[in-house]
Amino acid sequence: MARYSNPGAGTDRPKGQDIRALRRVVEFLKPYWLRVIGALAALAVTAGATLSIGQGLRGLIDRGLSGDAPETLNNALIFLLMLGVIIAAGSYVRFYLMTWLGERVVADIRNAVFKRIIKLDQSFFEVTRIGEILSRLTTDTTLLQTVVGSSMSMALRNIIMMVGGLAMMVATNAKLALLALILVPLVVGPVLIIGRRLRKLSRETQDRVADVGAFAEESLSGIMTLQAFTHENRDIQRFSEEVSDAFGTALIRARVRSLLNATVTLVVFTGIGAVIWVGGGDVLAGRITGGELGAFLFYAMIVAFSVGIVSEVYGDLQRAAGATERL
């Protein structure tokens, strides 16, 4: 039984994964601009409230725990509790609206793609595997749902948190902020270098999964002929090989992605350790207060966490960019 009706089908698909391709998805968001604005507003409120925790922490340490003004402790705790309520409410609104947008946009994209496919000339179906078309309607659109409904929101939120955290670090203590910023190239470098390799592997993984679906579709659509020639065992073996290829490629991608995350985490926490050492010396020398150091470390952790999330989400955005190009 032939491996594919056209072995070269699909080889001319776009190979790039430039996240600028996701701009095409924005066209499907335009009809729902009010919900987009609502989600962005909720995102901004939660980000601002989270960054405000650092100042509450600073006041709590310097005044609330000093013993000189016991009422300050109560005020600081009430302030932090109010911020928690704001963050919880904003997170609920943001999550609901972004999830709604993700589901709605993907439904619209699926309708648009099917409408396009159903009107194509028959010659298209002679050179294109049906399994690959089905993969576009299911796997690729699911990737976009994840991006619109979750990853894009996480990316925007953590970029805002990263920029805001850096600004608050500078405002809290410029000396410690300069020390932390020296390590930025050590974080960005691995993201750029390893990220290129990750983009290529992400594309290869998606292609291998498409191959698995295409082979299964090829075999099952011709099941009568396959069984008539007692070709079951051979197709089982070939399918197993396709699955193994997909697993192997996905495993390599997972290793590279894990290496990227581990490298970024190691560099970031090394930087935080250096900040604690220098800042702790300044506290002992009386040059800064304990609250100032505590607030700075809070913002440093915010920035470190945001960098890690952005590097993680960037891989999802690249995969979705490849899906967008194919769609």
Side-chain angles (χ1 to χ4, degrees):
M1 185 175 182
R3 170 64 180 84
Y4 296 119
S5 58
N6 183 354
T11 58
D12 59 343
R13 288 174 297 176
K15 294 299 181 184
Q17 283 188 305
D18 192 335
I19 61 174
R20 287 177 296 181
L22 292 174
R23 289 182 298 184
R24 302 168 77 175
V25 179
V26 175
E27 296 296 323
F28 289 89
L29 283 169
K30 288 182 178 179
Y32 315 110
W33 62 273
L34 282 176
R35 286 183 171 85
V36 172
I37 291 176
L40 292 176
L43 186 152
V45 169
T46 54
T50 302
L51 291 172
S52 299
I53 292 177
Q55 296 307 305
L57 182 64
R58 182 177 182 174
L60 178 63
I61 295 175
D62 286 345
R63 296 186 296 274
L65 300 180
S66 65
D68 298 331
E71 67 277 4
T72 305
L73 176 61
N74 295 331
N75 293 335
L77 291 176
I78 292 174
F79 176 69
L80 292 175
L81 180 60
M82 291 175 60
L83 289 178
V85 173
I86 293 173
I87 293 171
S91 297
Y92 171 84
V93 174
R94 176 180 62 87
F95 182 81
Y96 174 78
L97 289 178
M98 292 305 298
T99 300
W100 188 95
L101 286 168
E103 296 291 348
R104 182 66 264 170
V105 166
V106 165
D108 292 346
I109 290 176
R110 282 174 175 158
N111 286 331
V113 172
F114 186 78
K115 181 179 178 181
R116 167 67 175 165
I117 291 173
I118 208 71
K119 295 181 179 180
L120 289 174
D121 189 84
Q122 292 185 9
S123 60
F124 170 80
F125 298 97
E126 293 176 359
V127 298
T128 306
R129 295 170 295 182
I130 300 300
E132 185 164 340
I133 297 175
L134 295 176
S135 178
R136 301 297 149 257
L137 283 171
T138 55
T139 304
D140 286 342
T141 51
T142 299
L143 278 174
L144 292 182
Q145 190 279 328
T146 300
V147 166
V148 176
S150 176
S151 298
M152 192 174 293
S153 172
M154 289 177 60
L156 289 174
R157 179 181 183 275
N158 283 281
I159 288 173
I160 293 174
M161 295 290 289
M162 182 170 57
V163 174
L166 286 171
M168 294 303 297
M169 286 168 62
V170 174
T172 303
N173 191 295
K175 172 187 172 182
L176 295 179
L178 179 61
L179 174 62
L181 290 175
I182 291 175
L183 297 172
V184 170
L186 299 179
V187 176
V188 175
V191 172
L192 295 178
I193 296 172
I194 303 177
R196 281 195 291 267
R197 171 65 173 161
L198 186 60
R199 285 195 298 270
K200 181 180 178 181
L201 288 171
S202 295
R203 176 61 197 232
E204 291 178 358
T205 299
Q206 290 171 304
D207 286 345
R208 297 293 78 76
V209 172
D211 289 342
V212 170
F215 184 81
E217 188 275 335
E218 177 84 10
S219 298
L220 295 177
S221 62
I223 189 66
M224 301 297 291
T225 304
L226 185 149
Q227 292 180 346
F229 286 91
T230 63
H231 210 268
E232 296 94 333
N233 290 335
R234 177 55 180 162
D235 274 41
I236 290 173
Q237 180 182 350
R238 293 290 295 276
F239 183 78
S240 178
E241 292 171 357
E242 294 290 349
V243 171
S244 296
D245 288 344
F247 173 75
T249 305
L251 194 61
I252 295 174
R253 181 179 63 85
R255 288 173 180 169
V256 173
R257 192 167 185 174
S258 299
L259 175 62
L260 175 62
N261 293 338
T263 302
V264 171
T265 301
L266 177 62
V267 173
V268 166
F269 280 92
T270 299
I272 291 177
V275 168
I276 292 175
W277 186 76
V278 175
D282 287 346
V283 171
L284 294 177
R287 290 188 288 269
I288 63 174
T289 66
E292 187 176 342
L293 177 60
F296 185 89
L297 289 175
F298 173 79
Y299 293 127
M301 290 296 294
I302 287 288
V303 172
F305 182 76
S306 298
V307 169
I309 293 297
V310 170
S311 65
E312 179 78 13
V313 171
Y314 189 61
D316 293 334
L317 294 178
Q318 289 171 329
R319 293 178 63 198
T324 303
E325 291 174 346
R326 287 191 299 275
L327 283 169

